[in-house]
């Protein structure tokens, strides 16, 4: 008697699947985080200073490495392929075709990209709003597409890719693109911009995520009520993510969502500026530079602007003291500091700090209450010393965003 397809599949995959409650995995993640902090606190205890402990350093190092592996294994338990979310959206395309009268081809790329289960659970509704907008507002009717030299069938692409410590999910369409004039007129009426202000595209596109904002001339079952995109913005904030929009007239629109791979642990570099501690994801750091006098340039046209000259390129210097509005009598000269160079979507930036302390895998916790409004931050990191460090979001640093 031949084996069943299920049994054959299990043998080929090397083992059977086991269903485990997400609450249990969440509890495991919390315990692993506490374990990591307890081990670091014990190994680095000041009570051990000056003691002659033969072999302790080797044993402590081995213990730390094992805890690190446990953290990685626990994180992987909560990772699921993003294709599960994409497949649910694919079923919606047939319904969107019926409601809009358009022909839509859904292309899926990178379905095997892994994301945190907590992210996957919250991602479907926001992505559905983006796909609906692409189908309703973005893609043209078949006759209009043919008149514009396009095929009758409109394309919506769902693409996922891991980029450093983030997963980038994109919704791309080849439709008419965002209408700058219409969006700008509505934005001016609502007071987002002045009557004569001509904002950069990146600033302008962000208003579509404001509550109640809509360019639809009539309300339909798909759009026009001014809800949906603001839901996406709120969800992305909760997930420590960010949104980027690119659009070109008659060439479509791309909505990119950048989300951390894991919401629990972060492989980071610990920095000190004055008495404040910061951490940044290791993958975000391009270089660490100790500048000399010949590497620094002042731009007199802009008040106090500093530039770092690095191998012939000029990189703007972003002082965290100025960014956070810290009350200081004088700034430390850059030659006495260390510059951390980050590559961002807006280009490279250099952030000076007093000291680079360590590389650690830290436990991530969200900022709540009044601390939730801390600018350009993913949240806080709990350190073995009992101290708390702010986790910097380099993209928001570069753009000057508050959230």
């Amino acid at each position: 008697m031949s084996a069943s397809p299920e049994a054959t599949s299990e043998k080929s995959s090397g083992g059977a699947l086991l269903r485990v409650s997400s609450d249990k995995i969440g509890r495991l993640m919390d315990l692993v985080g506490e374990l990591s902090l307890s081990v670091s606190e014990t190994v680095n205890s000041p009570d051990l200073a000056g003691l002659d402990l033969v072999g302790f350093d080797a044993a402590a190092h081995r213990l730390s490495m094992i805890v690190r592996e446990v953290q990685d294994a626990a994180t992987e338990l909560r990772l699921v392929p993003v294709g599960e979310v994409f497949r649910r959206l694919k079923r919606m395309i047939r319904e969107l075709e019926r409601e809009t009268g358009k022909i839509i081809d859904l292309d899926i790329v990178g379905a095997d990209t892994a994301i945190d289960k907590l992210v996957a659970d919250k991602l479907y509704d926001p992505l559905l709003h983006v796909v609906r907008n692409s189908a309703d507002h973005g893609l043209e009717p078949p006759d209009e597409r043919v008149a514009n030299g396009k095929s009758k069938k409109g394309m919506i692409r769902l693409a996922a890719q891991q980029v450093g410590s983030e997963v980038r999910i994109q919704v791309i369409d080849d439709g008419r693109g965002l209408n700058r004039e219409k969006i700008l007129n509505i934005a001016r009426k609502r007071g987002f911009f002045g009557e004569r202000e001509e904002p950069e595209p990146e600033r302008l596109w962000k208003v579509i995520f404001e509550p109640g904002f809509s360019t639809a001339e009539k309300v339909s079952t798909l759009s026009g009520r001014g809800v949906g995109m603001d839901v996406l913005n709120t969800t992305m904030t909760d997930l420590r993510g960010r949104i980027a929009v690119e659009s070109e007239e008659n060439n479509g629109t791309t909505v990119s969502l950048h989300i951390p791979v894991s919401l629990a642990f972060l492989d980071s570099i610990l920095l000190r500026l004055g008495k404040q501690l910061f951490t940044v994801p290791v993958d975000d750091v391009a270089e660490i530079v100790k500048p000399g006098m010949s590497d620094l340039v002042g731009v007199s046209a802009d008040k106090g602007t500093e530039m770092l000259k690095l191998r012939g390129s000029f990189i703007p210097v972003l002082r965290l003291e100025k960014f956070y509005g810290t009350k200081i009598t004088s700034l430390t000269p850059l030659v006495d500091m260390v510059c951390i160079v980050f590559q961002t979507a807006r280009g490279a930036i250099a952030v000076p700090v007093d000291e680079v302390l360590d590389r650690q895998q830290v436990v991530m916790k969200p900022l709540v209450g009044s601390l939730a409004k801390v600018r350009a931050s993913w949240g806080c990191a709990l350190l073995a010393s009992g101290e708390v460090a702010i986790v910097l979001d380099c993209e928001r640093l570069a753009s000057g965003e508050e959230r």
Side-chain angles (χ1 to χ4, degrees):
M1 185 173 65
S2 61
S4 66
E6 292 82 0
T8 302
S9 176
E10 288 179 3
K11 288 180 181 179
S12 62
S13 63
L17 296 177
L18 179 65
R19 288 184 177 273
V20 180
S21 168
S22 60
D23 292 338
K24 291 182 179 180
I25 294 180
R27 173 64 174 159
L28 174 63
M29 299 284 281
D30 291 339
L31 289 174
V32 170
E34 294 298 326
L35 174 64
S36 174
L37 291 174
S38 297
V39 168
S40 297
E41 185 179 5
T42 302
V43 170
N44 300 305
S45 173
D47 295 337
L48 300 177
L51 297 181
D52 186 13
L53 303 174
V54 180
F56 176 79
D57 289 342
H61 177 72
R62 184 169 181 272
L63 177 60
S64 298
M65 293 299 293
I66 292 174
V67 170
R68 174 70 176 267
E69 290 185 19
V70 171
Q71 285 182 337
D72 292 341
T75 300
E76 290 176 4
L77 286 176
R78 210 164 66 178
L79 296 182
V80 296
V82 73
E84 294 182 8
V85 181
F86 287 176
R87 278 192 291 274
R88 294 173 63 191
L89 291 168
K90 191 171 186 177
R91 291 195 291 267
M92 288 296 301
I93 291 297
R94 305 288 78 83
E95 181 180 335
L96 292 173
E97 285 184 316
R98 288 194 298 269
E99 294 192 35
T100 62
K102 301 172 183 178
I103 307 172
I104 304 173
D105 180 25
L106 182 66
D107 183 26
I108 293 178
V109 179
D112 57 346
T113 303
I115 59 174
D116 196 301
K117 182 65 165 62
L118 295 180
V119 174
D121 290 342
K122 296 182 179 181
L123 205 54
Y124 174 74
D125 285 338
L127 277 179
L128 178 60
H129 288 301
V130 181
V131 172
R132 279 178 170 172
N133 267 15
S134 294
D136 197 26
H137 294 299
L139 298 181
E140 311 94 329
D143 294 344
E144 184 179 334
R145 289 181 64 85
V146 172
N148 291 334
K150 299 180 181 180
S151 65
K152 285 187 177 182
K153 183 180 291 186
M155 186 275 295
I156 297 177
R157 175 174 295 148
L158 291 172
Q161 180 184 12
Q162 184 168 340
V163 182
S165 60
E166 297 180 333
V167 171
R168 182 182 65 198
I169 298 176
Q170 294 180 305
V171 181
I172 306 167
D173 69 64
D174 65 346
R176 58 173 66 95
L178 296 177
N179 189 321
R180 177 182 172 88
E181 184 178 350
K182 180 182 288 187
I183 292 175
L184 183 56
N185 286 338
I186 297 174
R188 283 171 173 166
K189 290 178 181 178
R190 294 193 55 182
F192 294 118
F193 303 108
E195 285 299 322
R196 297 184 179 180
E197 188 176 357
E198 293 291 337
E200 293 293 324
E202 185 176 350
R203 286 184 60 210
L204 178 59
W205 303 149
K206 286 180 182 177
V207 302
I208 67 177
F209 300 105
E210 293 294 331
F213 191 93
S214 177
T215 58
E217 296 178 358
K218 61 181 180 179
V219 176
S220 69
T221 56
L222 289 181
S223 61
R225 293 164 293 173
V227 297
M229 297 303 277
D230 62 312
V231 173
L232 171 63
N233 198 27
T234 302
T235 303
M236 291 300 292
T237 300
D238 294 340
L239 295 175
R240 303 200 305 270
R242 53 189 172 83
I243 310 169
V245 180
E246 297 178 11
S247 185
E248 186 177 347
E249 188 174 356
N250 293 325
N251 283 327
T253 302
T254 298
V255 178
S256 301
L257 313 181
H258 300 260
I259 309 166
V261 174
S262 173
L263 300 178
F265 306 112
L266 179 69
D267 195 10
S268 66
I269 291 180
L270 184 61
L271 312 170
R272 181 184 64 81
L273 179 63
K275 296 182 179 180
Q276 178 64 56
L277 296 176
F278 298 93
T279 64
V280 290
V282 169
D283 294 330
D284 290 350
V285 178
E287 279 187 72
I288 299 178
V289 180
K290 177 65 175 169
M293 287 298 297
S294 60
D295 302 322
L296 304 175
V297 179
V299 182
S300 57
D302 194 358
K303 295 181 180 179
T305 299
E306 300 166 298
M307 303 288 283
L308 173 67
K309 185 179 180 181
L310 186 63
R311 291 187 294 277
S313 299
F314 291 93
I315 301 173
V317 174
L318 189 148
R319 295 264 193 173
L320 293 177
E321 304 96 314
K322 292 182 178 180
F323 185 84
Y324 287 112
T326 306
K327 294 181 179 180
I328 50 175
T329 55
S330 62
L331 292 172
T332 305
L334 283 178
V335 290
D336 297 329
M337 306 181 79
V338 179
C339 284
I340 315 299
V341 179
F342 303 109
Q343 289 293 346
T344 73
R346 287 173 167 261
I349 59 171
V351 177
V353 296
D354 292 328
E355 189 177 5
V356 178
L357 297 176
D358 193 11
R359 174 174 175 169
Q360 296 183 7
Q361 190 172 54
V362 297
V363 179
M364 292 278 291
K365 296 292 182 183
L367 293 171
V368 296
S370 59
L371 292 178
K373 298 181 180 180
V374 172
R375 299 177 66 194
S377 171
W378 288 124
C380 65
L382 305 182
L383 308 178
S385 61
E387 297 173 290
V388 176
I390 297 297
V391 183
L392 294 176
D393 179 356
C394 305
E395 293 291 341
R396 291 193 180 110
L397 274 178
S399 64
E401 290 184 49
E402 294 190 8
R403 293 296 300 164

